[in-house]
Amino acid sequence: MVPADAPADTWGAGPGESEEPALSPPPNATRAVPGREPEVAAAASEVAPPLVYTLEAIEVRGNARTQSRVVLRYVPFRPGDVFDVDDPEVELTRYRLLGTGFFKDVQFSLRKGSRRGQVVLAIEVVERNTIIVNDVWLGISADADTEGHARPLTAYGGVDVAETNLFGTGITLGSAIGLGQDQLALRLRFLDPAFFGRGFMTNGTLLFNDARDFFGNAGVLYADPEQASPPPEHAVVRYERLGGSLGVGRDLSVAAQAWLYYRFEAIDASYPLAASHRRGSRVEPIDFDVIRGRSVLSALRATLQLDTRDHPFLPTRGWFATATSEVAVAPLGSDYGYQRLELAASRWWRLPYKSHVLRLELFAGAITGSAPFFEQYYVGDFSDFLPARFLSVNHDRRPPPNFLGTQIVEVRYGTYAAKLNLEYRIPLYRGQRSVFGIDFFSSAGAYAVASAREFQSPPPDYAGLALVPLDLTANVGFRVDTKAGGFVLAFSNILGFIPVRGEGPAGE
């Protein structure tokens, strides 16, 4: 990583590497004042402004597999530009090249050009394996069978693999599969960072889910008494999703992007004709939040993204933030009409003590209208003590632990969600071969998930602060960056099977 006090003329030793000596400014170097020509800049100010050169050329070195044009696609500088060595975009450009996943290390340096006042920017890259494992899911859950009878333990798993630099063109081709008891999820995706020319990108995804979900807190009753005997603990929704999305993106700056997506899905769902459950001490009908039989979801989504991280998997500084808006309406052919707004941000700080890292994570989201349940916020995506959905499939029937004894235990899906989380990370190992880094992490935070009924018609068993659907979460484990990709080994899912008091309004 680059020390904060690194010389302006050299950028970028990677983890565990030494800094290269800074290049001395050529004797004909001049200082520039914004809006003035470099030749007269020195006389215009008594305080020396940043040192600038005229960029004669850009050289890419070390790219045995990656085409030079792919590297230059992420570089905002061009020959003839006035090059300011103190411009923040220089360091952000290096971070972005690292963020592609194509390279293990990226170094910038300058050398004298062929004419006075000109320099050549050399970009030295060290390529890494680009066939990577983006994610691996392995765990245990407590789900229910097809009739809704609870099962204590069920295994699930999945893998997401991609070629992130196909034939050195920068194109990503990826696929993922997720498996659980009576559940299957498949994904195919495509990304071209220069499909429409410099600055434009395109992204496509195909999906198929043959899945189930589990509704009902307790005392579930079906309208048809012959549907299950003995009575089940949960009402089961069986559904299939087939469709995909197509997006077009554009760079707004080195660190910012804007994306516009269109998504279309055909859905086929089946569930009991009518069912009720006990919400607190009150019996209420279950709203499954999906249309029975066949339906269509058609939506537009826009996303703004800011990424100033210095590393894609083990960052030590910078921001990663997104703002997302989605709308599904009848004129688009959708049977579901809803609007979604989400804001998410993470900030990393490298601490002075042995390069430890602190991360602050924030999230807030709201949905209005009639979104299907798989588009709503699920408590397991916010509580580390439950398995989160992967590939949009849920494998667990349990409520959250409810450490605070609030009505969060009555919530499964909601249209409002928020989370505040802090993570502390300790570097344990840095290497240059198969394993690049291992960090220990621990995190803790609070989250809330709710729908309108939690505010308009809460269960009668809760009062005061217990009416706020809020709970705590925590996690501990290891983050490992390897030649095959980045992995997280976390243990809160296992801890979630330990019984916790406060599961109901009486603390039972």
Side-chain angles (χ1 to χ4, degrees):
M1 305 306 169
V2 186
D5 56 352
D9 302 74
T10 186
W11 305 277
E17 298 177 359
S18 60
E19 292 284 356
E20 295 181 359
L23 297 176
S24 301
N28 57 319
T30 58
R31 300 275 175 176
V33 172
R36 307 262 185 116
E37 292 295 329
E39 289 78 4
V40 299
S45 175
E46 296 180 359
V47 179
L51 182 65
V52 299
Y53 310 102
T54 298
L55 194 60
E56 179 180 335
I58 302 174
E59 296 178 353
V60 182
R61 305 171 181 169
N63 54 321
R65 295 189 301 269
T66 308
Q67 299 176 18
S68 294
R69 66 175 181 84
V70 174
V71 179
L72 295 176
R73 178 256 179 273
Y74 297 96
V75 178
F77 315 112
R78 287 293 175 266
D81 290 351
V82 175
F83 187 78
D84 180 356
V85 298
D86 296 320
D87 189 340
E89 283 200 347
V90 176
E91 193 73 345
L92 289 174
T93 300
R94 177 177 175 270
Y95 293 165
R96 187 169 186 193
L97 285 169
L98 287 170
T100 63
F102 305 159
F103 312 112
K104 181 175 66 174
D105 188 36
V106 177
Q107 303 280 346
F108 284 6
S109 61
L110 295 176
R111 64 177 176 82
K112 294 180 181 180
S114 60
R115 299 179 59 184
R116 182 175 182 177
Q118 294 184 339
V119 294
V120 175
L121 173 63
I123 303 175
E124 188 81 24
V125 299
V126 179
E127 293 177 315
R128 65 183 295 172
N129 179 39
T130 58
I131 300 178
I132 63 171
V133 179
N134 290 305
D135 219 332
V136 173
W137 305 281
L138 290 173
I140 54 176
S141 63
D143 67 354
D145 62 22
T146 56
E147 299 297 331
H149 299 292
R151 290 187 291 211
L153 291 177
T154 304
Y156 64 85
V159 63
D160 183 340
V161 181
E163 166 56 81
T164 61
N165 192 9
L166 185 67
F167 303 123
T169 61
I171 293 174
T172 294
L173 288 178
S175 63
I177 182 172
L179 297 169
Q181 188 69 39
D182 303 316
Q183 302 204 75
L184 171 67
L186 300 172
R187 294 291 187 277
L188 293 174
R189 68 183 182 280
F190 165 86
L191 169 66
D192 188 340
F195 185 77
F196 292 107
R198 177 175 172 80
F200 285 93
M201 303 159 281
T202 186
N203 184 308
T205 301
L206 294 176
L207 69 87
F208 173 74
N209 283 5
D210 182 2
R212 299 176 300 134
D213 215 314
F214 318 102
F215 288 76
N217 296 338
V220 171
L221 295 175
Y222 286 179
D224 182 359
E226 297 181 357
Q227 191 158 358
S229 180
E233 294 86 356
H234 299 275
V236 178
V237 175
R238 303 173 183 85
Y239 67 101
E240 291 185 359
R241 297 169 58 193
L242 176 63
S245 65
L246 182 64
V248 176
R250 179 169 175 78
D251 290 322
L252 303 180
S253 68
V254 175
Q257 296 178 352
W259 282 90
L260 179 65
Y261 294 89
Y262 172 69
R263 54 181 298 209
F264 180 90
E265 294 182 21
I267 304 159
D268 190 1
S270 63
Y271 47 85
L273 294 176
S276 63
H277 68 147
R278 181 164 51 86
R279 184 167 167 257
S281 60
R282 186 166 58 199
V283 176
E284 297 182 358
I286 297 175
D287 188 349
F288 294 101
D289 286 326
V290 67
I291 296 172
R292 188 189 310 277
R294 298 184 181 276
S295 58
V296 169
L297 172 62
S298 178
L300 287 173
R301 182 171 75 249
T303 299
L304 292 175
Q305 176 181 297
L306 175 69
D307 188 355
T308 63
R309 295 172 297 174
D310 61 348
H311 191 276
F313 188 71
L314 295 176
T316 65
R317 67 183 76 175
W319 284 91
F320 184 79
T322 60
T324 301
S325 177
E326 185 174 63
V327 57
V329 293
L332 295 175
S334 181
D335 294 317
Y336 303 89
Y338 66 90
Q339 301 79 43
R340 180 204 310 267
L341 179 63
E342 292 179 354
L343 301 173
S346 288
R347 175 73 163 93
W348 288 265
W349 294 270
R350 183 166 59 185
L351 304 179
Y353 182 73
K354 296 184 178 180
S355 298
H356 291 190
V357 178
L358 182 67
R359 176 193 182 188
L360 173 64
E361 179 186 6
L362 302 169
F363 176 85
I367 302 172
T368 61
S370 56
F373 70 87
F374 51 79
E375 290 297 313
Q376 298 179 20
Y377 303 114
Y378 167 57
V379 288
D381 294 339
F382 297 88
S383 173
D384 294 308
F385 297 103
L386 290 176
R389 292 178 292 188
F390 66 90
L391 303 181
S392 301
V393 173
N394 191 354
H395 295 272
D396 205 288
R397 57 172 169 78
R398 295 171 296 159
N402 196 17
F403 295 102
L404 301 181
T406 71
Q407 68 160 323
I408 189 69
V409 74
E410 311 289 349
V411 179
R412 183 170 181 82
Y413 287 99
T415 53
Y416 305 99
K419 185 174 184 179
L420 170 65
N421 200 60
L422 280 173
E423 179 183 283
Y424 195 88
R425 215 174 74 225
I426 302 174
L428 301 179
Y429 172 80
R430 291 293 182 268
Q432 299 296 324
R433 294 186 178 181
S434 297
V435 178
F436 303 139
I438 302 175
D439 286 9
F440 170 81
F441 77 91
S442 61
S443 65
Y447 72 93
V449 179
S451 58
R453 68 176 181 175
E454 272 68 59
F455 304 106
Q456 299 170 357
S457 180
D461 312 86
Y462 300 87
L465 293 178
L467 288 170
V468 181
L470 177 74
D471 202 20
L472 303 177
T473 184
N475 208 347
V476 63
F478 300 91
R479 298 188 183 277
V480 184
D481 186 23
T482 74
K483 185 177 181 180
F487 303 92
V488 179
L489 305 176
F491 302 99
S492 286
N493 182 15
I494 298 175
L495 298 176
F497 283 92
I498 300 175
V500 177
R501 292 185 62 83
E503 293 183 351
E508 299 174 352

